[in-house]
Amino acid sequence: MKDIDKRINDTLDILIENEAMLVDELKTMLKSFKNEKAVMGYAFGKLCFWHYEAFVDCLNDDIYKVAAAIELLILSYDIIDDLQDKDADYIWSETPELSLNVALAMLIMSSRAIHDTSFEHKQLAILLLEEYAFRSINGQQLDVLNICRDEPSYLQMIDRKSGSLTAMSCLIGEALAKGKVSEEIEEYGKYIGIIQQIKNDIQSLKTWGPKNDLLNKKYSLPIIYLLAQKNSISKSVINYYNGDIVTLMDKNVIRDELTNGGAIRYAITIKNLHKLKALNILENVAINKVGKEYLIKLMK
């Protein structure tokens, strides 16, 4: 598994270094952003790899180039998302106006990199990249607008925002191998993204700081559950969301309510329902043991 990460990382270095259209300033920034991303690993590129490897008899090494292209797209989205959220934890947040140019460059590079491969079905892969990238942008727009305030609309939003990108990564691998894609892989590919987003939502509430969704008046599954409760705590949170500047919230009381009042358990239950659906579909897909173990790990 580490070898795949290394191959993707090395291929990213080559793609960046060989991109003649990038001026030196952009190239230097892109390299530094890539190095920060490398610490987290290349989950989306590996999704592509395993879904390509499952349906071919002999590997074409260009699959690492496609996996790297996908990671360029994902990194561009991560940068834009962090800048929109005013997240200051990453190097690209230091100069947001310049970082946006790097993100735009990566969007173009991702498509060009796939086009430059030797795969017979590379045009289908590019179409999938574009289609699911648009779907994710639509979901991101809804997320930034912060208007998904009930379970159905929120799940639909993260299906688009996060599920589209994981489904895309799986389907591009399958498309390169087979020249077509399957509904089954698309479906559990989306579930993986939804699961990851719900996990992030839960994690956000564990730290009472600038990334806390509740303090930022964002909506997520645990918060939607909390706001639906008819008690003094939910009322104080509603007042806070409505802009009542005199509302005081005790973080220990809120944390206790989230944990013991059912909000976190509710979110975990929704996550596990998607996990069960994904596992049921995965049973009938011909991915090897190591690949399946990786997919199952993403669903925990």
Side-chain angles (χ1 to χ4, degrees):
M1 196 72 69
K2 289 182 179 179
D3 182 58
I4 299 174
D5 275 314
K6 186 178 186 306
R7 289 293 298 270
I8 295 173
N9 189 66
D10 292 345
T11 306
L12 279 167
D13 287 335
I14 294 170
L15 286 176
I16 296 167
E17 190 59 39
N18 292 345
E19 183 48 73
M21 299 296 290
L22 277 182
V23 297
D24 289 342
E25 291 81 3
L26 283 172
K27 191 174 290 189
T28 298
M29 291 184 71
L30 208 167
K31 287 177 181 177
S32 66
F33 294 175
K34 188 277 299 181
N35 289 337
E36 185 142 338
K37 168 74 171 178
V39 177
M40 298 177 274
Y42 299 111
F44 293 87
K46 283 186 283 191
L47 283 174
C48 175
F49 175 88
W50 287 119
H51 286 85
Y52 170 75
E53 191 270 351
F55 303 109
V56 294
D57 296 323
C58 181
L59 283 180
N60 179 344
D61 275 355
D62 272 358
I63 190 59
Y64 296 106
K65 194 172 186 178
V66 177
I70 290 171
E71 288 294 345
L72 283 173
L73 175 75
I74 298 301
L75 179 54
S76 72
Y77 277 31
D78 286 344
I79 291 169
I80 293 168
D81 184 47
D82 288 338
L83 296 181
Q84 288 174 330
D85 289 343
K86 297 180 175 57
D87 190 335
D89 285 354
Y90 300 100
I91 188 173
W92 44 79
S93 301
E94 296 173 5
T95 54
E97 65 284 351
L98 298 177
S99 298
L100 277 175
N101 289 330
V102 180
L104 291 171
M106 284 190 282
L107 288 172
I108 299 170
M109 287 175 64
S110 62
S111 179
R112 281 161 58 98
I114 298 176
H115 183 269
D116 290 341
T117 64
S118 59
F119 287 110
E120 178 184 358
H121 306 297
K122 61 186 179 183
Q123 283 306 125
L124 175 56
I126 292 172
L127 286 174
L128 290 167
L129 183 87
E130 293 173 350
E131 176 184 347
Y132 285 85
F134 269 124
R135 291 188 189 184
S136 182
I137 291 170
N138 288 332
Q140 176 70 2
Q141 182 78 348
L142 292 172
D143 188 27
V144 174
L145 288 170
N146 202 29
I147 58 176
C148 300
R149 303 180 181 186
D150 55 57
E151 180 188 312
S153 64
Y154 186 79
L155 287 175
Q156 184 180 60
M157 181 272 289
I158 63 174
D159 180 307
R160 291 177 181 175
K161 176 187 173 180
S162 304
S164 292
L165 296 178
T166 44
M168 174 196 74
S169 303
C170 299
L171 292 174
I172 287 177
E174 182 188 20
L176 291 172
K178 298 164 59 178
K180 59 182 181 180
V181 295
S182 58
E183 291 182 5
E184 294 81 7
I185 288 177
E186 179 191 35
E187 191 171 3
Y188 77 63
K190 284 185 176 182
Y191 291 156
I192 291 172
I194 292 170
I195 290 165
Q196 290 294 320
Q197 185 62 58
I198 294 174
K199 286 165 61 177
N200 289 342
D201 291 345
I202 294 171
Q203 187 62 39
S204 157
L205 298 173
K206 292 184 177 179
T207 303
W208 201 260
K211 287 190 175 184
N212 186 290
D213 282 341
L214 192 149
L215 292 179
N216 289 316
K217 299 182 180 180
K218 295 279 289 182
Y219 289 87
S220 66
L221 286 180
I223 293 170
I224 288 168
Y225 181 95
L226 174 64
L227 294 175
Q229 307 310 301
K230 306 298 182 183
N231 57 36
S232 60
I233 298 172
S234 65
K235 289 177 182 177
S236 69
V237 175
I238 290 171
N239 288 337
Y240 173 71
Y241 271 54
N242 289 337
D244 184 348
I245 60 173
V246 300
T247 297
L248 297 175
M249 295 190 298
D250 186 317
K251 67 179 180 180
N252 293 320
V253 172
I254 298 292
R255 281 178 176 172
D256 183 70
E257 179 65 19
L258 287 167
T259 303
N260 299 319
I264 300 295
R265 289 197 301 273
Y266 157 74
I268 291 172
T269 299
I270 299 297
K271 175 183 77 71
N272 287 338
L273 286 173
H274 285 86
K275 177 182 176 180
L276 286 174
K277 291 178 182 178
L279 290 174
N280 286 335
I281 301 170
L282 184 59
E283 284 183 4
N284 300 314
V285 178
I287 295 178
N288 70 27
K289 182 181 177 182
V290 179
K292 281 192 175 181
E293 287 176 351
Y294 178 69
L295 295 177
I296 292 169
K297 182 180 177 182
L298 291 178
M299 301 178 204
K300 289 184 178 178

